[in-house]
Amino acid sequence: MENETSAIALEARDLTKIYRMGTVEVRALRGVDVELREGELVVLLGPSGSGKSTLLNILGGLDTPSSGTVIFRGRELALDSERALNLYRRNHVGFVFQFYNLIPSLTARENVSLVTEIARDPMPPPEALAMVGLAERMDHFPAQLSGGEQQRVAIARAIAKRPDLLLCDEPTGALDSKTGILVLDAILRINRELGTTTALITHNAVIAEIANRVLYFADGRIVETRRNAVQRAPAELAW
Ligand SMILES: Nc1ncnc2c1ncn2[C@@H]1O[C@H](COP(=O)(O)OP(=O)(O)OP(=O)(O)O)[C@@H](O)[C@H]1O
Ligand SMILES: [Mg+2]
């Protein structure tokens, strides 16, 4: 689906992010340029503290840069408007984090419904849960699901509003490799079947093989970009 000539979905130019704590400055991003093409699956790799999460949060409108611009489908985000960022997140972005943040007192289906109730053109929650292989577990509570299943509920919740962008920060970070494969399979299926432009942060270099393209971070910058000649299936990875 994705190729080097697809339209650019999301673009960021010369992003910097400086955290100031008292007199100490942390330069988390030092001039990042990035483009994500429609339907592309990009993996972000790099050492702890190199700025991966900071970039992902800025691309998703959860955080704002100290300088630089973010352009979604040709329109610059109004980074100074909380309301504009809210609408951008609500209408276009799905997030998945390392910890699933499900509501314990709600079933899988109800957790997904929380999002679909406020979305413009949502999928029915059972359809989103079926996409991640949980059609049989819809009425289970989080405590009745394994870690990998809970993460797949979190993915269903993120994609049920049919986001244009799916941003995943270490989605398999808390999972063993076998469970991680199921979670990556779910993310890949969404990327392929819905054409959702996807960015995924991982510490595990092996996972980079599922991507179209890999961005290598070091010290607040993207230091290398590589295009994979072959995209491997999660089950083929040598974890
Ligand atoms: N809210 C914050 N306040 C101050 N400094 C921060 C804040 N968030 C991140 N940083 C600093 O910014 C730098 C980049 O952090 P970031 O979380 O983006 O790294 P990362 O690549 O995601 O690391 P990890 O792989 O450990 O998750 C780090 O030095 C971090 O300590
Ligand atoms: Mg991080």
Side-chain angles (χ1 to χ4, degrees):
M1 161 164 317
E2 179 275 341
N3 64 56
E4 285 162 74
T5 57
S6 312
I8 293 170
L10 186 66
E11 181 178 358
R13 289 286 159 242
D14 207 14
L15 294 182
T16 70
K17 179 70 176 181
I18 301 172
Y19 292 107
R20 286 196 179 80
M21 293 172 299
T23 56
V24 181
E25 280 194 353
V26 176
R27 287 157 56 97
L29 296 180
R30 300 168 179 257
V32 168
D33 292 302
V34 68
E35 292 172 3
L36 303 183
R37 293 186 178 272
E38 297 284 354
E40 191 176 26
L41 172 57
V42 171
V43 161
L44 283 63
L45 272 182
S48 183
S50 57
K52 305 179 298 294
S53 297
T54 303
L55 175 65
L56 206 75
N57 290 342
I58 291 172
L59 293 180
L62 277 181
D63 197 0
T64 54
S66 302
S67 65
T69 53
V70 180
I71 300 158
F72 173 70
R73 293 188 170 161
R75 288 184 62 176
E76 196 174 320
L77 292 191
L79 294 166
D80 55 356
S81 162
E82 193 50 51
R83 188 182 129 74
L85 291 179
N86 257 315
L87 285 173
Y88 168 64
R89 286 196 303 266
R90 179 185 298 184
N91 294 329
H92 302 291
V93 189
F95 284 99
V96 177
F97 298 102
Q98 178 170 0
F99 302 104
Y100 330 121
N101 301 315
L102 300 176
I103 300 190
S105 59
L106 299 180
T107 64
R109 183 208 306 258
E110 290 165 344
N111 266 282
V112 176
S113 300
L114 284 181
V115 171
T116 56
E117 276 162 18
I118 59 165
R120 288 191 303 193
D121 173 30
M123 318 179 181
E127 187 181 327
L129 286 159
M131 277 207 83
V132 298
L134 290 178
E136 312 299 317
R137 295 279 196 283
M138 287 192 293
D139 297 314
H140 288 225
F141 291 93
Q144 300 169 324
L145 297 167
S146 72
E149 288 166 346
Q150 290 181 57
Q151 185 61 299
R152 284 184 282 148
V153 174
I155 293 169
R157 180 182 58 185
I159 58 124
K161 63 180 179 183
R162 304 181 202 277
D164 302 299
L165 305 169
L166 181 62
L167 306 180
C168 310
D169 195 343
E170 307 223 25
T172 62
L175 304 174
D176 62 53
S177 58
K178 195 164 153 236
T179 311
I181 286 171
L182 297 176
V183 165
L184 295 176
D185 277 336
I187 291 170
L188 266 167
R189 178 167 181 203
I190 288 148
N191 171 250
R192 297 223 169 116
E193 292 184 15
L194 304 180
T196 311
T197 305
T198 303
L200 187 156
I201 293 175
T202 177
H203 271 118
N204 184 346
V206 167
I207 291 178
E209 295 180 38
I210 71 168
N212 297 121
R213 213 153 50 91
V214 189
L215 310 180
Y216 294 87
F217 272 72
D219 204 17
R221 291 198 177 91
I222 296 173
V223 291
E224 194 190 335
T225 302
R226 196 186 76 203
R227 176 164 284 278
N228 281 330
V230 184
Q231 235 186 322
R232 272 188 215 291
E236 295 169 1
L237 302 179
W239 306 59

